[in-house]
Amino acid sequence: MSEAEIINLIVLTFKSAVPLIFAALGELVVEKSGVLNLGVEGMMLIGAVAGFIGAVTTGSIFVGMLMAMAAAVLVSLIFAVLTLSLLANQVATGLALTIFGIGLSAFIGKPFLGNTIEGLQPWAIPLLSDIPILGPLLFNHDPMLYLAVAAFFGVSWFLYRSRGGLILRSIGESHEAAHALGYPVIRIRYLAVMFGAAMGGLGGAYLSLVLTPQWQEDMTAQRGWIALALVVFATWRPSRVMIGAWLFGALTIVNFYAQSQGVSFSSHLLATLPYFATIIVLVLISWDAAKIRLHAPAALGKPFHASD
Amino acid sequence: MKTGRITKWALGLALAGAVALTAGMAQAQLKIAFVYVTHVGDAGWTYQHHLGRMAMEKALGNKIKVTTVGPVKEGADAERVIRKLAASGNKLIFTTSFGFMNPTLKVAKRYKKVTFVHVSGYKRSKNVSTVFARLYEGRYLTGMVAGMMTKSNVLGYIGAFPIPEVIRGINAFTLGARAVNPKVQVRVIWVSSWFNPGKERQASETLIAQGADVITHHTDSTAAVQAAQARKKFAIGYHSDMSKYGKTAHLTAATHIWGSYYTKVAKAVLAGGWKAGDTWGGLKDGMVALAPFGPSVPAKVQAMVKKRQAEIRAGTFHPFQGPVKDQSGKVVVPAGKTMADGPMLGMKYYVEGVVGKLPKK
């Protein structure tokens, strides 16, 4: 394997991790606030189609990204109203959101099937991108990839270094206690769901604006579910979300690389690996019950009403 | 009072007459239904069936009335849909995906007067025919194009699942490429999905990263063509003419053409003379065709490919004509012989020139 080949494969791995990073970091914040939104796949698809429509009609990828976020937030509000205001079951509503997102995105995307766009080009960071090896590896990517890394720092800082993050986490641990302290539980959960949706939308948009770039029905191909698994795999830690996303991304690329080199293993088995790894992690952390309790939000999935 | 009763009678008669009239009209018109597995989109498997349907409508005009249903999931849902179509008076039903095979046969047992055509399956009955295209003929020709256009002598192939249909395509492509350029290697990546643009794109990029400069695919999206266009390499489309996704990259495509077959069946059913059976048609039957050559393909290459195409049409050349060797060098078709349909339908090995082992499952 030549040096250029290795760099190429690592860059491909980074790229395939981006949708997972966006969606999983978003879902992480949602779950940290105590809400389980299983609609990630649906929101990603809505983001993918809205982003693509935005980019095609205005010619600007950045408008596309904004539309992706806005559209995903809009559909997530259905989920938020149902589960947070009307206390519907979060699991059922989240699943419904996914099914709704698949159908709706196919419907509104129909006239845009087969359209092509330029796609987001890499931004080489001046000077830094000229460093041998490290330059092409780290400093010659598309803006959305940089944004995903920035989102990681932003989310980590917010959750563990800011007052807002502390409040959000406390709501996720015990909404009664947070409510007793006077924090607006429902309002903060609304904001968390909207943030998660915007991130999921961006994750989907990365597929339709950068990775492919085109709109196709159901093009996320279960990445939303992998993102959900990733949050559990990461035991609700942003840094482990990043490692997990790269690991899952690398699995695909290594699989493809090995195949084209003539090494073959069962591709069905490989497709199950992310889920399998998540189960292994769950088993591992379940040995030490204290460890899960430390990171999993205690109020995850539980509805809250101020009268409780 | 009396006049009231008379008007009622008159109305009743008129209504009955109208019903009889429309029923009569419906009988004269053949009702045809299509079951699609995906949305039509604007390229790919279902899109080609859509084109076939349009060609049939154009040929037969108002003698037929066509309904299409899709996307329909393969499995239990399909049976419900097909049953409903049969119950609502469709006399000819095309089910256009492999997974519709058993549902089609099940419904056909109940509706003996309805003619069914299942695309890509192998189970038939008195009123269920099967049809498929000898796409390997097109694959061989596109392989020739790729073999002459490559500079790196590495060709990339993205496969969905290692089943005989896909393997046959890879082998025909490889044989075509090596017939014009014996140094060619074909590298294969399986993406375990008929349709996953993200993965198809990644697989394309992985192949390009390893030196492939012509890429083709046996999957349903246009991602490979787009990847080649973005990386300034060449691509060969599949199912549909995908030139709009790769203006300079798209060399040609191996495409399915269903129109003439659909028209033939509909005409026969209208005349009451359709006999159920199997059709495996190729270039000569107009069921497989190459998409127009892209601007990058030199006239010399085009001429060579067209000559071979004419030979396949005339039956003087067969893509799997001996000597054909498998990867281990074993001769699977001796010189002077051509492979029969049986072994072609069950093909489970790579020919010489394909890199790597065939995955077991």
Side-chain angles (χ1 to χ4, degrees):
Chain A
M1 227 193 300
S2 73
E3 186 188 297
E5 241 177 61
I6 296 171
I7 290 175
N8 241 324
L9 292 175
I10 296 177
V11 169
L12 278 174
T13 301
F14 283 159
K15 282 172 86 168
S16 59
V18 171
L20 298 178
I21 292 175
F22 276 122
L25 282 177
E27 179 67 12
L28 177 76
V29 171
V30 178
E31 292 191 13
K32 275 285 184 194
S33 81
V35 179
L36 180 65
N37 184 357
L38 295 182
V40 181
E41 178 87 358
M43 297 185 301
M44 283 179 85
L45 278 168
I46 293 288
V49 74
F52 190 74
I53 292 175
V56 168
T57 48
T58 64
S60 156
I61 300 246
F62 293 99
V63 175
M65 284 164 63
L66 288 177
M67 272 185 65
M69 289 196 278
V73 168
L74 268 179
V75 294
S76 79
L77 282 176
I78 304 173
F79 170 84
V81 169
L82 283 171
T83 59
L84 301 178
S85 300
L86 304 174
L87 307 185
N89 180 298
Q90 292 181 6
V91 171
T93 313
L95 288 174
L97 181 61
T98 284
I99 298 166
F100 176 67
I102 294 172
L104 183 69
S105 62
F107 177 69
I108 57 180
K110 210 161 184 202
F112 294 89
L113 278 171
N115 272 300
T116 47
I117 52 170
E118 223 0 79
L120 210 47
Q121 297 307 311
W123 276 359
I125 296 175
L127 296 175
L128 286 177
S129 60
D130 298 331
I131 307 173
I133 301 177
L134 282 183
L137 209 54
L138 301 177
F139 303 111
N140 189 16
H141 294 297
D142 56 85
M144 277 184 88
L145 197 146
Y146 296 132
L147 188 64
V149 176
F152 158 69
F153 287 113
V155 166
S156 310
W157 175 84
F158 170 77
L159 281 179
Y160 296 103
R161 293 278 178 278
S162 79
R163 189 178 155 71
L166 187 64
I167 297 170
L168 181 117
R169 282 190 292 137
S170 69
I171 288 172
E173 293 302 331
S174 166
H175 42 227
E176 283 95 0
H179 176 67
L181 286 170
Y183 293 124
V185 173
I186 297 299
R187 196 192 308 160
I188 289 175
R189 284 188 171 166
Y190 260 95
L191 290 174
V193 167
M194 286 162 69
F195 174 77
M199 294 284 277
L202 272 182
Y206 191 76
L207 285 166
S208 65
L209 296 179
V210 183
L211 212 56
T212 356
Q214 57 169 304
W215 162 249
Q216 298 274 13
E217 280 146 33
D218 216 359
M219 70 180 299
T220 51
Q222 276 76 54
R223 283 179 183 81
W225 297 107
I226 294 190
L228 272 164
L230 189 55
V231 176
V232 181
F233 174 86
T235 57
W236 293 270
R237 290 295 200 139
S239 55
R240 293 185 196 158
V241 164
M242 298 299 276
I243 295 169
W246 284 326
L247 202 68
F248 291 177
L251 277 179
T252 316
I253 301 299
V254 167
N255 169 17
F256 288 169
Y257 180 79
Q259 281 194 29
S260 58
Q261 287 296 312
V263 184
S264 78
F265 15 61
S266 165
S267 42
H268 294 296
L269 203 65
L270 265 155
T272 64
L273 268 183
Y275 305 103
F276 189 63
T278 305
I279 293 171
I280 299 270
V281 167
L282 273 175
V283 170
L284 286 179
I285 58 175
S286 302
W287 267 330
D288 190 352
K291 242 185 196 156
I292 327 177
R293 242 180 277 138
L294 212 57
H295 297 303
L300 185 61
K302 292 184 187 145
F304 171 75
H305 190 264
S307 66
D308 285 351
Chain B
M1 262 328 221
K2 212 175 180 183
T3 46
R5 198 178 288 163
I6 288 170
T7 31
K8 253 189 204 161
W9 267 101
L11 247 170
L13 269 173
L15 251 170
V19 168
L21 211 83
T22 43
M25 267 165 65
Q27 249 168 24
Q29 217 179 22
L30 176 65
K31 278 178 83 180
I32 303 177
F34 280 83
V35 186
Y36 294 154
V37 70
T38 60
H39 282 287
V40 169
D42 73 344
W45 171 256
T46 297
Y47 181 70
Q48 294 307 111
H49 290 291
H50 167 76
L51 291 183
R53 180 209 117 187
M54 306 257 277
M56 177 185 75
E57 280 182 310
K58 208 174 158 202
L60 298 174
N62 57 9
K63 281 189 211 145
I64 56 171
K65 188 173 177 298
V66 182
T67 318
T68 61
V69 188
V72 176
K73 283 229 157 53
E74 298 182 334
D77 211 24
E79 194 188 319
R80 186 181 57 79
V81 171
I82 300 165
R83 188 181 300 277
K84 211 169 161 196
L85 287 168
S88 58
N90 289 290
K91 290 293 169 226
L92 173 58
I93 298 176
F94 294 97
T95 54
T96 64
S97 186
F98 182 78
F100 296 156
M101 180 165 72
N102 290 330
T104 304
L105 276 138
K106 233 171 152 183
V107 178
K109 234 186 226 169
R110 284 268 314 266
Y111 293 88
K112 296 235 158 68
K113 296 224 170 88
V114 179
T115 304
F116 293 86
V117 176
H118 178 240
V119 182
S120 78
Y122 56 84
K123 290 188 190 167
R124 285 169 284 280
S125 73
K126 270 191 182 146
N127 57 337
V128 180
S129 304
T130 49
V131 61
F132 210 27
R134 293 179 186 268
L135 206 90
Y136 63 88
E137 296 179 346
R139 289 288 191 194
Y140 185 93
L141 298 174
T142 59
M144 289 174 66
V145 178
M148 288 187 272
M149 296 300 289
T150 179
K151 290 196 180 75
S152 63
N153 292 332
V154 180
L155 310 180
Y157 207 118
I158 298 159
F161 296 98
I163 55 167
E165 156 71 6
V166 183
I167 297 166
R168 196 163 58 237
I170 294 172
N171 286 343
F173 181 81
T174 309
L175 289 172
R178 286 170 71 96
V180 294
N181 180 355
K183 279 184 252 155
V184 159
Q185 276 190 341
V186 177
R187 290 177 186 268
V188 183
I189 291 182
W190 300 97
V191 291
S192 303
S193 165
W194 291 108
F195 178 81
N196 185 337
K199 270 194 172 177
E200 290 168 46
R201 174 72 181 226
Q202 287 168 337
S204 313
E205 302 234 5
T206 311
L207 288 165
I208 292 169
Q210 289 176 78
D213 59 356
V214 184
I215 293 182
T216 189
H217 58 110
H218 197 127
T219 45
D220 214 6
S221 94
T222 54
V225 177
Q226 283 175 294
Q229 179 72 28
R231 295 300 205 89
K232 300 194 171 59
K233 307 285 178 196
F234 292 127
I236 285 164
Y238 170 56
H239 287 318
S240 306
D241 181 346
M242 294 181 171
S243 52
K244 123 174 158 197
Y245 298 90
K247 286 201 169 55
T248 50
H250 193 264
L251 299 174
T252 178
T255 67
H256 284 115
I257 311 288
W258 301 106
S260 58
Y261 173 79
Y262 287 162
T263 312
K264 192 175 85 185
V265 179
K267 267 188 184 156
V269 171
L270 269 167
W274 175 253
K275 283 237 155 39
D278 179 43
T279 305
W280 198 20
L283 286 165
K284 134 175 101 58
D285 315 282
M287 290 181 64
V288 173
L290 287 190
F293 290 107
S296 327
V297 186
K300 201 181 80 191
V301 175
Q302 296 189 17
M304 268 182 83
V305 173
K306 278 184 181 149
K307 186 166 162 266
R308 189 42 49 94
Q309 176 170 290
E311 286 166 8
I312 296 178
R313 274 208 185 112
T316 54
F317 182 83
H318 189 286
F320 289 97
Q321 89 179 26
V324 176
K325 285 187 199 155
D326 73 2
Q327 273 181 313
S328 65
K330 196 182 96 191
V331 177
V332 282
V333 183
K337 289 255 160 71
T338 59
M339 197 180 284
D341 283 0
M344 264 200 298
L345 287 167
M347 202 174 273
K348 271 284 186 187
Y349 54 84
Y350 284 148
V351 296
E352 204 175 41
V354 184
V355 178
K357 267 210 203 90
L358 188 61
K360 288 277 175 295
K361 260 275 172 272

